[in-house]
Amino acid sequence: MGTGYVGLVTGACLAYLGHRVTCVDRDEERLKGLRSGRMPFYEPGLEDLVARGVGRGRLDFARVEGVAGLVDEADAIFVSVDTPQGEDGSADLSSVAAVARQIGRALAELRTGRGSPLVVVNKSTVPVGSGDYVSMLIRDGIEEAIGEGAGGEGAAGFLVVSNPEFLREGSAVYDSFFPDRIVAGADSREALDVLRTLYEPVIEQSFPTELDPRPKVAVPFITTDLASAEMIKYASNAFLATKISFINEIANICELVGADVSEVATAIGLDARIGSRFLNAGIGWGGSCFPKDIAALRAAAREYDYEAILLDAVAAVNVRQRKQVIAKLQRDLHTLKGKRIALLGLSFKPNTDDLRDAPSLEIASVLDSLGARAVGYDPVAGKAAAQKLPSLKVVFDPYEALGGAHAAVLITEWEEIRTLDLNRASALMDEPKVLVDGRNALDPEAAVEAGLSYRGFGRG
Ligand code: UDX
């Protein structure tokens, strides 16, 4: 249930593995698009995978009203609906709650009893305790329906499992087939066994490996209680965001003392206890997960009157990184009034069209408020960015964005942007030709040789 990133990718992957999958959504337009092969968002490899599932008769799409019929046949229902950030930072569970009630009603309306309990899999990122909350709401749904005269035999049969997802946008299909681990939390062994069976081909890496010919190594299947599984998701994302904010803090100190954070990150990353990934300094993290999950974890801590001071600092460092782009521009250009600034890359990271909590939009809107003209380019997110922020002029060629720009900011390290022709860029720009490299993705020496004033993050 839910055809967002998590639901659609999970559905298409499970169908590829040989299961029979119906993806359910309430948005008729989205379903119409999916039935005709149109993806609701940009994700490499997904379109092919969906087409393959549909072609083999293993994947189809249904409206949420049809859920009663599906509950009859399904071994498991994955709840993958949105859990947006509420005003106080906590996760808004209203979509999850609605789906849980619908499942309850559908269970109550079953004419014949199910042979085995329905396994309800919480895939959406939900606060600790939500597994029990979902069970309660399913029971509410059952009671409501029975109160209204429905009285099926299947009513008692359901089990709730938490199965957090760790897929990254831009490599979601790959991450689903080759995860570092699969986590399942439940109070019942039976439910965990159903999940293990569903994921068996991934755990054993026994599916056709045309996707990735690397050696087969079994994927750890971690079983826990419900609350721990829910916490594992938050703790993973909080740790990764902490790692990024940590290296950004070090980058800022590097800049003061004249050290190069790229060298520092490479060397500390070789310590196996630290690890080399997620140590790229720059304008920090955005997207649909880190900001929301960290806010939700901080909000959860506040409910217990606990001050999560480390997480508060992680978030504060991230806010400061974005502001540094403006500070760096001001240092070289002084006033930004009347200046033209090219923004290279607009999505929150490469290989996705997602603009949720994208640094580009915040930076563009500050530039606008300071009287500068921001001109943005992105290989896929341009149109959507222009709709979200009318003050941002969007063009469809990076060199057009650079034409007459006094400064350029590399915001998203798309391959196309990492490999820009810097000589051509410099020839097109106006003095003082400042290049703020928000992802430390370019070669500083090559930029200087091309005549640009290169400004990285923590690069001495
Ligand atoms: C993240 C988690 O990685 C994934 O496991 C979870 O399920 C969903 O959230 P995603 O948001 O798709 O995935 O992107 P990710 O690749 O983790 O990057 C998040 C942000 O951190 C991006 O804005 C990226 O630019 C930034 N980042 C990443 C850095 O600034 N530095 C790094 O070294 C790595």
Side-chain angles (χ1 to χ4, degrees):
M1 300 189 73
T3 60
Y5 270 100
V6 176
L8 189 56
V9 172
T10 305
C13 290
L14 287 173
Y16 180 88
L17 297 175
H19 301 299
R20 175 81 187 76
V21 180
T22 300
C23 287
V24 181
D25 207 289
R26 61 181 168 199
D27 181 344
E28 185 56 41
E29 276 305 302
R30 183 175 273 238
L31 292 171
K32 230 193 259 166
L34 282 166
R35 288 193 193 103
S36 56
R38 226 180 23 255
M39 297 303 106
F41 46 82
Y42 174 82
E43 182 62 39
L46 185 60
E47 195 171 328
D48 280 355
L49 204 65
V50 168
R52 199 192 280 241
V54 172
R56 290 187 178 168
R58 292 198 199 127
L59 179 63
D60 61 6
F61 302 96
R63 273 189 70 120
V64 74
E65 289 76 12
V67 105
L70 296 168
V71 160
D72 213 355
E73 288 178 26
D75 294 302
I77 291 194
F78 282 73
V79 179
S80 334
V81 293
D82 57 326
T83 48
Q85 191 175 319
E87 270 174 23
D88 59 350
S90 64
D92 173 352
L93 293 183
S94 50
S95 297
V96 172
V99 161
R101 281 210 179 82
Q102 268 155 352
I103 294 172
R105 294 184 71 87
L107 277 170
E109 284 160 11
L110 281 184
R111 295 231 175 80
T112 53
R114 295 172 48 91
S116 54
L118 175 70
V119 175
V120 178
V121 187
N122 254 347
K123 196 86 179 145
S124 305
T125 302
V126 287
V128 176
S130 299
D132 293 337
Y133 179 63
V134 163
S135 292
M136 181 182 84
L137 294 172
I138 294 177
R139 278 194 297 273
D140 284 355
I142 291 171
E143 277 163 24
E144 271 163 33
I146 290 176
E148 288 165 22
E153 294 166 46
F158 74 91
L159 300 166
V160 174
V161 192
S162 163
N163 171 221
E165 59 77 24
F166 301 100
L167 52 85
R168 291 161 301 171
E169 291 182 19
S171 47
V173 172
Y174 181 91
D175 289 351
S176 301
F177 286 120
F178 307 108
D180 291 333
R181 76 306 207 184
I182 295 173
V183 175
D187 300 332
S188 106
R189 189 73 248 167
E190 194 180 351
L192 296 174
D193 287 345
V194 169
L195 225 65
R196 195 181 202 296
T197 308
L198 273 173
Y199 284 122
E200 188 84 28
V202 175
I203 295 168
E204 305 295 338
Q205 290 286 294
S206 59
F207 55 90
T209 51
E210 65 197 81
L211 287 157
D212 184 42
R214 68 184 185 173
K216 290 177 188 174
V217 180
V219 171
F221 182 70
I222 311 290
T223 55
T224 71
D225 58 282
L226 264 170
S228 302
E230 290 161 347
M231 190 50 144
I232 286 167
K233 171 64 195 253
Y234 282 109
S236 290
N237 277 351
F239 185 81
L240 292 170
T242 302
K243 212 172 166 188
I244 300 168
S245 283
F246 170 80
I247 202 65
N248 282 332
E249 183 96 288
I250 295 294
N252 296 337
I253 301 173
C254 279
E255 215 162 286
L256 295 171
V257 301
D260 185 335
V261 73
S262 311
E263 312 264 339
V264 174
T266 305
I268 66 170
L270 288 172
D271 184 329
R273 292 169 302 175
I274 295 176
S276 58
R277 295 167 71 188
F278 276 62
L279 284 180
N280 297 325
I283 51 180
W285 37 271
S288 65
C289 284
F290 287 179
K292 182 167 75 91
D293 292 355
I294 283 152
L297 195 51
R298 291 167 70 203
R302 277 198 299 274
E303 273 181 32
Y304 297 86
D305 210 14
Y306 178 81
E307 255 185 90
I309 48 178
L310 178 61
L311 298 180
D312 293 347
V314 165
V317 168
N318 203 50
V319 168
R320 196 171 57 186
Q321 290 309 106
R322 294 180 182 193
K323 289 192 179 145
Q324 282 204 43
V325 170
I326 305 296
K328 283 177 192 287
L329 290 171
Q330 284 172 329
R331 215 168 294 146
D332 283 307
L333 301 178
H334 306 292
T335 175
L336 297 182
K337 280 194 183 55
K339 299 288 179 353
R340 183 178 160 114
I341 318 286
L343 302 183
L344 303 174
L346 301 170
S347 56
F348 86 93
K349 69 173 208 177
N351 300 321
T352 176
D353 58 358
D354 202 334
L355 285 162
R356 283 175 285 180
D357 214 333
S360 62
L361 297 180
E362 192 180 329
I363 291 166
S365 103
V366 175
L367 287 173
D368 181 53
S369 70
L370 293 174
R373 161 57 53 85
V375 185
Y377 165 76
D378 189 279
V380 298
K383 246 192 210 155
Q387 273 162 8
K388 276 189 187 290
L389 197 67
S391 65
L392 175 66
K393 181 174 154 63
V394 171
V395 295
F396 295 92
D397 178 277
Y399 298 100
E400 192 181 336
L402 288 160
H406 302 94
V409 185
L410 186 153
I411 296 202
T412 318
E413 68 280 30
W414 287 90
E415 187 58 25
E416 181 188 349
I417 292 171
R418 301 179 83 104
T419 54
L420 270 187
D421 179 342
L422 295 176
N423 288 312
R424 187 173 164 203
S426 175
L428 288 165
M429 288 174 71
D430 268 4
E431 294 294 342
K433 301 188 186 188
V434 175
L435 174 59
V436 177
D437 184 356
R439 299 292 178 184
N440 285 353
L442 300 170
D443 175 1
E445 278 176 29
V448 171
E449 269 168 33
L452 298 162
S453 300
Y454 179 88
R455 308 286 178 248
F457 276 73
R459 291 182 123 176

